[in-house]
Amino acid sequence: LGRPGATMDTFPITVASEVRDVAWRSAWMAANDVANYPFDAAADKASVALHFAALKDEVSALHLNLSDDLLMDIKLMALHAAWHTAYSRQGRARAAAAELAEFDNMATAVALARDEVTVRLAEEVRWLCWNASWHTANSRAGYARDAARDLLGFKAHCRGMVQAPYFGVNLGGWLLLERWQCGTLFADFTQEEAPDEYSLSQRLGPAAAAERINAWRDSWVTLDDMVAIKAKGFNSVRVPFGWWTVDGVEDDPGIDTGPFVCRGMKHVDNVVAWAEEVGVSVILDLHSGVGFQSGHHATGRENPQWKPEDWDTDATVRVLAMVAERYKDARSVSGIGVINEPSNAVPADKLVAFYRASYAAIRAAGMPQERVDVFFPAYQRSLSELTSRSFPDDSMVRAVVDLHMYQCFGDSWTCLTLKQHLERASNGAGHWPGMVEVAAAGLSCTVSEWSLRLPDWDPSYGMAAEWSQMTKEEQSAVLREYGKRQVRQYEAGDGWFFWCWKVDVPGEPWWSATECFEQGWMDSADWVKAG
């Protein structure tokens, strides 16, 4: 939180709330005025004055390093944004242009107050005002889809004033092994012999599996990695782990750990400590549930015969409670994901019941709602399957919808041309669900997995022929643009996590942040604001 006398990168919640309300009421005042709702506009104008006075009082009471001039610039920025969008929707181009020029002047003034607020925080306030204004203008003009998108952006920037968005990376292939990215570990066995961690452990036998897998856990992620992650501009790590790595599951009489190598939490302990040391946050992600949430190899066990009733959601909730209890006081832990990519064959009633029980268990174990998010996947199913069951409800604080936004899996993606891929990287169309649908529901969301992989490996795919005729330099330029567009799209949410930090296989650089940086396909300037 903001400190007296310090340059602020976040506002205290009470200050952020008043800034939010000044922007929101300014936006509605202008939208209602041009739509000829004079009584509503007058009430909004009075509300702006009240919230601005409350903002100044709160800053004074907290002895914050925010001048009256800066606060006035913020208010004027909100007002000019509001009138710009209202006039734009009314078709009054000259008036809209004049207001836009004044908005830009005020935004510049706020950004230049670097002894009071960081550039990042100034940008959050700027886009907060912008999204609030376009939401109201689009609402009054009947553009519901655009209004929903702008509302999601407004909410994201409200959050961004009190907590920086997640600019993160996954520590994948570490505490849940996936063959395709852990080449060394699986080198002695064919795909048919060991497609996943379960079969690898089974093939090796208890002693050899423990020796080999624990050695991997000891060495694949170190303090040096965490230092490098911070240096690359990431501010968070997502740590996927299987239920069998959680200390204590082997003592639960209702859980059969099978051939898995258990007790891996000391490695999570290390990451949590290192994260605090280097200054990044940690999202703990239960990547696999007891009995498995699908038959996909990413659960740790590939099983074509898997059925939804195999997933023991009660036992999975108990595992989450163990994790929450262990890390409830860890200051670097800012979130916990309750499961990864549950099959869309799981009945919605069962999934929502699991989500509710998970949230209750995590909070009951002591994970504080003031600072810890709880992530719930909306994966390959309509969001309405959740929202029609009143999930999440208003009692669930910091409940975040978890999205995966890959553009390389399935016929709906492999048929696209390169131009269409770039367009969708900008607008988010084609995902199930996508950010637009989440926005329409008014929910917070985070993209916890995305990559730079494009479907070029089959000559029949829509972009393959064009891609094969491009030079390496041209391909690199496309990948650079592809990543920039995705990062910009995800600004509408609470952040993102690239999959993943590194891979132990050749020929898959699009999944490795370290290689993407080396190739020039990623640049932290896309998300880290200077100053």
Side-chain angles (χ1 to χ4, degrees), residues 37-295:
Y37 292 96
F39 294 109
D40 291 337
D44 292 322
K45 182 178 181 180
S47 184
V48 171
L50 286 172
H51 286 294
F52 184 65
L55 171 62
K56 294 176 67 175
D57 289 345
E58 192 64 24
V59 167
S60 177
L62 294 174
H63 305 289
L64 299 180
N65 182 36
L66 300 174
S67 66
D68 286 348
D69 286 345
L70 176 66
L71 300 181
M72 179 57 72
D73 288 341
I74 290 173
K75 176 185 175 182
L76 291 174
M77 181 164 60
L79 288 168
H80 288 303
W83 286 112
H84 164 69
T85 55
Y87 289 149
S88 294
R89 281 292 177 230
Q90 202 179 35
R92 297 168 61 180
R94 291 185 64 180
E99 293 295 340
L100 178 60
E102 290 303 318
F103 168 78
D104 286 338
N105 288 338
M106 293 302 102
T108 299
V110 173
L112 290 175
R114 296 189 180 182
D115 58 339
E116 299 179 63
V117 294
T118 64
V119 170
R120 188 204 71 80
L121 182 54
E123 285 286 288
E124 294 291 349
V125 177
R126 175 187 180 182
W127 288 106
L128 171 90
C129 296
W130 190 255
N131 285 131
S133 299
W134 275 112
H135 167 72
T136 56
N138 284 325
S139 295
R140 282 296 183 217
Y143 296 99
R145 188 178 179 89
D146 291 338
R149 178 202 62 210
D150 296 321
L151 179 61
L152 184 63
F154 172 74
K155 290 185 175 182
H157 294 298
C158 285
R159 175 190 170 98
M161 289 192 296
V162 296
Q163 176 179 313
Y166 295 117
F167 304 130
V169 66
N170 282 275
L171 301 181
W174 181 38
L175 299 179
L176 191 155
L177 308 177
E178 295 188 50
R179 181 186 177 92
W180 72 270
Q181 64 183 110
C182 304
T184 302
L185 274 173
F186 288 84
D188 296 339
F189 302 100
T190 66
Q191 169 72 31
E192 291 71 26
E193 291 172 334
D196 51 42
E197 183 170 347
Y198 183 94
S199 56
L200 176 66
S201 301
Q202 205 169 40
R203 291 278 180 180
L204 289 171
E211 180 180 359
R212 184 177 296 191
I213 291 175
N214 281 326
W216 176 267
R217 292 172 179 172
D218 287 339
S219 61
W220 187 240
V221 174
T222 67
L223 175 58
D224 288 343
D225 286 293
M226 297 295 286
V227 171
I229 286 168
K230 174 71 172 181
K232 291 298 185 186
F234 298 111
N235 66 8
S236 189
V237 292
R238 180 173 177 253
V239 184
F241 56 93
W243 55 266
W244 54 90
T245 65
V246 177
D247 296 4
V249 297
E250 69 275 17
D251 300 323
D252 187 319
I255 298 178
D256 179 7
T257 58
F260 286 117
V261 177
C262 300
R263 303 193 72 80
M265 286 293 100
K266 69 176 183 179
H267 305 290
V268 180
D269 293 347
N270 288 338
V271 164
V272 167
W274 295 334
E276 186 162 357
E277 180 178 342
V278 304
V280 299
S281 65
V282 176
I283 306 300
L284 306 171
D285 182 65
L286 186 62
H287 223 61
S288 178
V290 180
F292 310 100
Q293 69 275 18
S294 79

Side-chain angles (χ1 to χ4, degrees), residues 430-487:
H431 292 283
W432 186 35
M435 279 194 158
V436 171
E437 188 176 354
V438 175
L443 302 175
S444 298
C445 70
T446 294
V447 178
S448 68
E449 294 187 20
W450 65 282
S451 77
L452 293 188
R453 190 57 161 126
L454 286 164
D456 69 319
W457 57 89
D458 188 314
S460 69
Y461 290 167
M463 60 161 287
E466 182 181 0
W467 189 256
S468 67
Q469 295 169 11
M470 298 173 73
T471 66
K472 290 292 185 184
E473 290 75 17
E474 290 171 334
Q475 290 178 352
S476 289
V478 168
L479 290 169
R480 178 79 182 91
E481 181 66 20
Y482 181 48
K484 287 173 68 175
R485 291 188 181 203
Q486 290 187 82
V487 166

